[in-house]
């Protein structure tokens, strides 16, 4: 029916209480396209409010949503960067004393690059992916190793106390009900199991420098955390021993230039293009560590590991 296809804003979802602290009185913060982002005056969580409707989100999460280049050189560059970043997250788990022999679940596994690196270290891997396109791609990446499920978290409801590690990379900011979601993951973890959360941070240098032009302000990001708000959200969902790290990504200038070409940011995109054009190929292709826009939180489910 034509009426159903028309864009309306009436089915957008209003958030009445802060999911971290319960405060009901928000302050204006920034505008992201047609959406307003407000800030909780008590805990400083930023909330897209009202939030895009399910249909609006469905239009955003199309086949192109996961950054995949058609040019094979571009794809190799993206893969190299994503796998090096995945190794960094796995190194953080190892440094926290988590053995790489257990069962690891990644929610929102995308094209499966974190799972691939985890399988190479010895983890028994499971991935859950909402996008059927990305799930299919993850199966190709893993070449028969582990298990890739397609759907939402409800498909794992029967697997209580099943996982040693749950990984959540750039997912929690997309979730409508983060507190409920973290409690669902808590049930999936074994006692003593570890959750690793990667999410953009409002306290990152890029957020502070870029202000309202921060590249993480996107219509599909429903919440914007910081070390303090993610810690409170995790504690409230039953986790303990929370450890926070700056989100380090392994990038090269070629990757950064491709990213800002796909997601233009005024001033930043022309500046990055200019630097990229000046940099000789061997240098622009070299991976380096950059503390970019995110945070990494490790949290434990109480109880002794089996
Ligand atoms: Zn709050």
């Amino acid at each position: 029916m034509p009426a159903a296809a028309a864009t309306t804003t009436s089915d957008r979802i209003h958030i009445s209480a802060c999911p971290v602290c319960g405060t009901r009185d928000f302050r204006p913060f920034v505008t992201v396209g047609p959406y307003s982002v407000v800030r909780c005056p008590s805990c400083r969580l930023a909330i897209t409010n009202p939030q895009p409707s399910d249909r609006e989100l469905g239009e955003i999460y199309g086949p192109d949503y996961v950054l995949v280049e058609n040019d094979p050189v571009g794809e190799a560059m993206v893969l190299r960067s994503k796998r090096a970043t995945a190794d960094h997250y796995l190194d953080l788990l190892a440094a926290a004393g988590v053995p790489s022999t257990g069962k690891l679940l990644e929610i929102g596994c995308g094209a499966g690059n974190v799972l691939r690196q985890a399988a190479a270290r010895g983890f028994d891997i499971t991935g859950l992916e909402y996008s059927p396109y990305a799930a299919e791609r993850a199966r190709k990446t893993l070449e028969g190793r582990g298990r890739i499920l397609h759907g939402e978290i409800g498909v794992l409801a029967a697997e209580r106390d099943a996982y040693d590690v749950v990984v959540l990379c750039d997912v929690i900011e997309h979730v409508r009900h983060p507190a409920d979601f973290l409690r669902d993951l808590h049930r999936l973890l074994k006692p003593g199991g570890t959750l690793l959360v990667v999410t953009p941070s409002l306290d990152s240098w890029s957020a502070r420098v870029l202000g309202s032009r921060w590249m993480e302000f996107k219509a599909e990001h429903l919440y914007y955390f910081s070390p303090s708000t993610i810690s409170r959200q995790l504690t409230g969902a039953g986790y303990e021993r929370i450890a926070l790290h700056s989100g380090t990504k392994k990038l090269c200038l070629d990757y950064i230039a491709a990213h800002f070409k796909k997601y233009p940011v005024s001033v930043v995109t022309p500046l990055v293009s200019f630097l990229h054009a000046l940099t000789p190929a061997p240098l622009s292709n070299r991976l380096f560590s950059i503390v970019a826009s995110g945070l990494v939180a490790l949290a434990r489910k109480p109880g002794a590991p089996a």
Side-chain angles (χ1 to χ4, degrees):
M1 292 190 298
T7 300
T8 67
T9 56
S10 59
D11 50 356
R12 287 185 185 165
I13 292 163
H14 287 260
I15 303 298
S16 56
C18 171
V20 170
C21 73
T23 294
R24 290 176 169 271
D25 175 29
F26 303 129
R27 304 277 187 272
F29 184 37
V30 294
T31 301
V32 179
Y35 302 99
S36 296
V37 177
V38 298
R39 202 146 196 201
C40 173
S42 173
C43 74
R44 313 290 292 156
L45 182 74
I47 306 167
T48 302
N49 200 19
Q51 306 204 324
S53 65
D54 289 347
R55 195 187 59 248
E56 286 171 315
L57 289 179
E59 285 164 9
I60 294 169
Y61 298 132
D64 293 334
Y65 188 73
V66 177
L67 179 63
V68 174
E69 304 294 323
N70 293 322
D71 168 14
V73 175
E75 185 170 357
M77 175 180 76
V78 170
L79 281 180
R80 200 169 58 109
S81 170
K82 294 204 170 204
R83 289 172 185 174
T85 301
D87 277 325
H88 168 63
Y89 299 147
L90 295 167
D91 288 345
L92 289 177
L93 283 171
V98 177
S100 60
T101 49
K103 289 184 70 179
L104 179 146
L105 167 69
E106 186 182 14
I107 308 284
C109 65
N113 292 301
V114 173
L115 291 176
R116 180 184 180 275
Q117 302 310 96
R121 292 181 183 220
F123 281 108
D124 173 4
I125 54 165
T126 299
L128 176 66
E129 175 51 54
Y130 177 73
S131 154
Y133 315 103
E136 200 42 51
R137 198 175 161 77
R139 288 188 189 103
K140 283 189 190 139
T141 301
L142 290 162
E143 299 173 319
R145 284 169 295 178
R147 205 171 50 128
I148 301 296
L149 306 171
H150 165 230
E152 296 193 57
I153 190 151
V155 306
L156 296 166
E159 303 191 18
R160 292 180 75 100
D161 299 344
Y163 294 94
D164 299 280
V165 178
V166 174
V167 174
L168 209 54
C169 291
D170 301 317
V171 169
I172 190 75
E173 66 275 13
H174 297 257
V175 169
R176 286 226 190 266
H177 304 289
D180 294 344
F181 186 71
L182 291 174
R183 277 189 281 270
D184 287 343
L185 300 183
H186 193 275
R187 277 189 284 275
L188 296 172
L189 278 168
K190 292 178 185 174
T194 303
L195 174 69
L196 183 148
V197 181
V198 180
T199 189
S201 170
L202 284 170
D203 282 0
S204 63
W205 69 267
S206 60
R208 291 171 188 276
V209 168
L210 295 171
S212 64
R213 289 196 297 258
W214 191 36
M215 62 283 200
E216 298 294 352
F217 285 130
K218 299 176 185 178
E220 67 273 29
H221 285 178
L222 307 180
Y223 300 95
Y224 298 89
F225 292 92
S226 61
S228 124
T229 49
I230 198 71
S231 298
R232 284 185 69 173
Q233 191 83 99
L234 287 164
T235 306
Y239 296 86
E240 61 177 21
R241 295 173 62 188
I242 293 153
L244 294 157
H245 305 268
S246 294
T248 303
K249 302 238 174 193
K250 306 282 179 179
L251 298 173
C252 63
L253 195 52
D254 290 340
Y255 182 100
I256 296 169
H259 178 89
F260 281 107
K261 195 173 169 192
K262 182 165 176 176
Y263 303 105
V265 175
S266 63
V267 185
V268 179
T269 295
L271 183 64
V272 170
S273 305
F274 178 69
L275 285 174
H276 186 231
L278 287 183
T279 308
L283 272 182
S284 67
N285 191 29
R286 187 175 296 168
L287 283 178
F288 57 93
S289 293
I290 181 167
V291 176
S293 55
L295 64 82
V296 183
L298 294 181
R300 296 277 171 100
K301 175 173 174 170

